[in-house]
Amino acid sequence: MRKFKTNSDTRKNVTTLAFLSLAVGVLLILRFGQLMINKTVNNIDLVEYGQNNDMGSSITEARRGTIFDQNGQPIAMDTTSYSMYAVLNSSWDDNEVVDTDYTARVLSNYLDLTQDEILTILLNPDANQVEFGEAGKNITPDTKTLIDNENLPGIKFDSQVKRQYVNDYFASHLIGYAVTEFDEELNTTVLKGQIGIESGLDGRLSGIDQYKTNLDNNIQADYLSGDDVYLTLDSRLQNFMEDLLDINYKRYQPEEVSAYLVEVETGRLLTAAQRPSFNLNTREGIEQKWTNMLVEEAFEPGSTIKILTLATSYDLGLYQPSETFMSGEVAVYDQIVRDYNLYGWGEITFDEGLSRSSNVGVVKLVERMGEDKWVQVLEELGFGKSTQSGLPNETEGSLQFDNPVSKIMSSFGQGFAASPIQLLQAYTTIGNDGKQMKIQYIDRMKSSQNTFESEVLGQPITEEAADHVLGLMVNTVEESYGTAQDFKNQTVNIAAKTGTAQIADPNGNGYLTGDYDYYFSVVAFFPAEDPEFMLYISMKQPNNPQGRTGSQILSEIFHPFVENVMINQ
């Protein structure tokens, strides 16, 4: 028979509950009072802990911005990976490895370790907790889920966010890389860019710039998220160029080789590749070369600069297209400047002199112009100063001359140093009706609604002069006397100019004298009748030339790439 409580029992229970509630309430009031007054608990400063914890959690959970190409193909992104460990002896809970044989057998299906190797790790008598070496690191989320579904007691995971690059080799020095570092100011670990775009745009990609701005302006900054960045690079063309440079680099073993494709009318950088390069994910090979050649390395450009010398001279009316000069050699103060074949081609026109790459022809034009005026032209074209690319460690090159002979020799690309990005910006004038375009590699930011806007830096050359020189560059490819015949293409008409620049002797005065101790280069516009693209390739000192000229070696990169560009339009 069920027994019901009496009224007396009920009153007793109510009285007891009321007393307990009052006691708990008093304790809570006292506890909150202690916290409000002392702001500490267990010797921890709650104010400092709260600030650090809020900031740390928001940053730790934040995503670094993804880097995309112009078509939205991912280049660099955050991924979560896991490190696995096993609890062998737990004093704080019962979740420890129970059956070592079974656990080893199951885990051998997922790790690059044998069952016996895993069992040896699990039977460590001196450890409460063990890891599984490299085999237990960088475990993917899918693999972690599969292991979790095995319900193995004592098997646990730590997560970490790392930067993942879709292609191991993809404009590596331009893209750069990011690694996890501890930020003392933010008091947490963050992914921090080291070189290239990852470094130059680190504040935007990480979100730290906006986070700190909000804090400085007393705006709620409870979450940190990076900005996605879309580049002007085209993944299809970039990957194709990477493959071509790889073949060329292994076959001819140059000290270095680089190639850049630019959309002429906009200045958009479509490809940027170099060798030596490095693996973006493992950093293998980075010790061979840390510098981003596009902006960090300057060299004497050689005869490609002659297209600017002739265009400027034509603009200033310093010669007539039918006017001739005697090639071969010319006295410049106390020195003799010779054409590359030492004896010249007799009396030829200045226009033909460009196609034959005559040093004497451009020297005579600069003498008419005045050496100081020519240096001024180089300055106006952007040499000797930063392009403000936004990339780390950009060099200004060198436009400092210690004698008048060097000023005149700069007419054919010796005596001063320029970076590839400076050359690209200057050369856009020839393919773009005289307008000089800023070379840009950022298409847009996700946080901004603004799309890419081209930037005209000026018009240092008239449209007439640019068109005239462009036609001479076609002759350089098409005529039997042209020095760029190796770049005649069956798919599209090419306007090109080659360069063979001496290399300063690093151990003393003067230049190196070996047969292949040169910077070989070519700048080309195509289609020649209405240029859409500019391609610039340079190569330093091929160590295994196999009897081929510099132009012949470069043409092996040039032709398949140009054809690929035209196919992918």
Side-chain angles (χ1 to χ4, degrees):
M1 176 183 292
R2 177 179 294 178
K3 294 184 179 180
F4 294 91
K5 294 182 179 180
T6 63
N7 289 338
S8 175
D9 291 334
T10 301
R11 284 194 296 271
K12 288 180 181 178
N13 289 337
V14 169
T15 301
T16 301
L17 288 173
F19 177 79
L20 290 174
S21 298
L22 179 62
V24 171
V26 171
L27 289 174
L28 288 174
I29 291 172
L30 292 174
R31 184 60 168 165
F32 282 127
Q34 177 194 16
L35 297 178
M36 292 295 292
I37 295 171
N38 297 329
K39 294 183 174 58
T40 61
V41 61
N42 296 331
N43 297 317
I44 297 176
D45 187 322
L46 295 179
V47 174
E48 181 180 353
Y49 177 82
Q51 291 172 344
N52 291 340
N53 191 55
D54 287 344
M55 182 178 290
S57 63
S58 65
I59 294 171
T60 301
E61 295 169 4
R63 178 185 64 84
R64 185 176 177 86
T66 299
I67 300 177
F68 298 93
D69 81 343
Q70 59 171 274
N71 299 312
Q73 295 296 317
I75 298 170
M77 66 189 77
D78 284 3
T79 60
T80 301
S81 63
Y82 298 88
S83 296
M84 189 179 72
Y85 64 96
V87 177
L88 305 182
N89 182 13
S90 175
S91 58
W92 58 89
D93 60 38
D94 295 328
N95 194 354
E96 60 187 51
V97 175
V98 176
D99 187 332
T100 54
D101 288 327
Y102 176 75
T103 301
R105 184 168 68 253
V106 171
L107 290 181
S108 67
N109 296 321
Y110 302 101
L111 302 184
D112 188 21
L113 293 172
T114 65
Q115 179 177 343
D116 288 342
E117 289 172 330
I118 296 173
L119 187 60
T120 299
I121 294 172
L122 295 177
L123 292 176
N124 187 334
D126 301 319
N128 294 322
Q129 179 176 302
V130 293
E131 297 177 346
F132 297 87
E134 290 300 317
K137 297 178 181 178
N138 297 318
I139 294 174
T140 66
D142 288 343
T143 301
K144 175 185 179 297
T145 299
L146 292 173
I147 296 174
D148 283 339
N149 290 340
E150 299 284 359
N151 296 315
L152 299 173
I155 299 301
K156 298 179 179 293
F157 297 88
D158 285 328
S159 66
Q160 52 268 317
V161 176
K162 71 172 186 175
R163 201 63 163 166
Q164 182 71 33
Y165 299 89
V166 175
N167 297 289
D168 288 337
Y169 295 90
F170 186 98
S172 298
H173 286 83
L174 176 62
I175 301 300
Y177 64 93
V179 297
T180 302
E181 288 186 357
F182 185 79
D183 189 305
E184 293 185 0
E185 184 176 357
L186 298 175
N187 195 35
T188 190
T189 56
V190 296
L191 280 168
K192 187 167 183 62
Q194 302 300 302
I195 64 173
I197 291 169
E198 289 275 31
S199 175
L201 294 179
D202 185 63
R204 294 294 296 269
L205 287 165
S206 65
I208 290 175
D209 281 355
Q210 185 62 37
Y211 189 84
K212 291 181 177 179
T213 298
N214 288 346
L215 289 177
D216 291 341
N217 294 331
N218 295 318
I219 300 173
Q220 179 66 30
D222 56 357
Y223 188 72
L224 174 68
S225 186
D227 204 354
D228 290 342
V229 177
Y230 292 79
L231 304 182
T232 60
L233 298 182
D234 185 314
S235 288
R236 296 168 302 172
L237 299 178
Q238 181 67 39
N239 285 323
F240 193 75
M241 179 58 83
E242 295 287 354
D243 290 341
L244 288 173
L245 286 197
D246 219 27
I247 294 169
N248 182 278
Y249 187 64
K250 291 175 181 177
R251 178 178 297 166
Y252 298 109
Q253 301 170 25
E255 292 297 310
E256 55 192 41
V257 59
S258 63
Y260 308 97
L261 182 72
V262 172
E263 193 175 68
V264 177
E265 291 187 359
T266 64
R268 288 154 62 104
L269 185 66
L270 302 180
T271 67
Q274 70 176 64
R275 293 293 183 278
S277 187
F278 70 94
N279 186 309
L280 284 165
N281 288 302
T282 66
R283 257 72 78 192
E284 180 183 0
I286 196 170
E287 68 282 351
Q288 294 184 58
K289 195 169 193 67
W290 286 86
T291 55
N292 174 10
M293 290 168 59
L294 175 65
V295 296
E296 294 184 63
E297 192 164 297
F299 52 88
E300 297 184 47
S303 293
T304 55
I305 211 74
K306 291 173 182 173
I307 62 177
L308 302 177
T309 315
L310 214 75
T312 303
S313 300
Y314 186 88
D315 253 349
L316 295 174
L318 299 179
Y319 79 97
Q320 295 301 315
S322 60
E323 185 179 355
T324 63
F325 70 97
M326 182 57 69
S327 63
E329 64 179 44
V330 60
V332 179
Y333 292 96
D334 60 345
Q335 295 191 31
I336 300 296
V337 171
R338 292 182 171 85
D339 285 320
Y340 70 86
N341 67 354
L342 302 183
Y343 50 82
W345 308 271
E347 194 167 311
I348 58 175
T349 66
F350 283 101
D351 283 353
E352 185 178 327
L354 180 67
S355 296
R356 291 187 181 276
S357 200
S358 170
N359 295 334
V360 173
V362 291
V363 164
K364 288 180 177 291
L365 291 176
V366 166
E367 286 181 331
R368 295 180 183 185
M369 186 187 311
E371 60 209 41
D372 290 333
K373 171 63 177 176
W374 168 242
V375 173
Q376 180 185 340
V377 169
L378 291 175
E379 291 173 345
E380 291 171 353
L381 286 165
F383 296 108
K385 60 184 177 183
S386 171
T387 67
Q388 304 299 317
S389 67
L391 292 167
N393 307 315
E394 180 180 345
T395 179
E396 295 182 350
S398 174
L399 201 61
Q400 301 298 318
F401 302 102
D402 54 9
N403 61 74
V405 175
S406 295
K407 292 181 181 180
I408 292 179
M409 289 176 63
S410 67
S411 65
F412 54 89
Q414 299 284 172
F416 79 102
S419 65
I421 196 170
Q422 290 174 326
L423 294 170
L424 293 174
Q425 286 193 170
Y427 293 159
T428 57
T429 57
I430 303 301
N432 194 39
D433 298 327
K435 294 188 291 291
Q436 184 177 13
M437 306 305 298
K438 182 175 178 61
I439 302 301
Q440 299 187 65
Y441 55 88
I442 299 174
D443 191 74
R444 63 194 183 277
M445 302 277 192
K446 186 177 181 180
S447 63
S448 172
Q449 299 302 313
N450 298 328
T451 56
F452 176 88
E453 291 187 11
S454 59
E455 182 178 344
V456 179
L457 299 175
Q459 179 139 4
I461 295 171
T462 65
E463 181 177 348
E464 181 184 359
D467 289 345
H468 179 73
V469 170
L470 192 67
L472 299 180
M473 294 174 70
V474 173
N475 292 342
T476 306
V477 175
E478 298 288 342
E479 295 294 339
S480 60
Y481 54 77
T483 58
Q485 294 176 66
D486 289 320
F487 301 96
K488 184 175 182 178
N489 189 272
Q490 301 303 314
T491 303
V492 62
N493 291 329
I494 302 292
K497 180 70 188 77
T498 57
T500 305
Q502 292 179 290
I503 300 173
D505 188 340
N507 299 316
N509 296 326
Y511 293 96
L512 298 175
T513 58
D515 290 343
Y516 287 89
D517 284 333
Y518 295 95
Y519 267 105
F520 300 100
S521 62
V522 61
V523 57
F525 300 94
F526 61 96
E529 54 272 17
D530 186 15
E532 297 179 44
F533 305 102
M534 174 176 63
L535 177 59
Y536 180 75
I537 310 175
S538 70
M539 177 185 58
K540 180 182 180 182
Q541 294 171 292
N543 291 303
N544 184 31
Q546 302 178 27
R548 298 177 68 76
T549 67
S551 288
Q552 288 172 335
I553 295 173
L554 293 183
S555 71
E556 295 182 19
I557 301 170
F558 183 88
H559 288 299
F561 185 71
V562 166
E563 289 159 12
N564 188 264
V565 171
M566 298 308 295
I567 290 171
N568 282 288
Q569 281 197 96

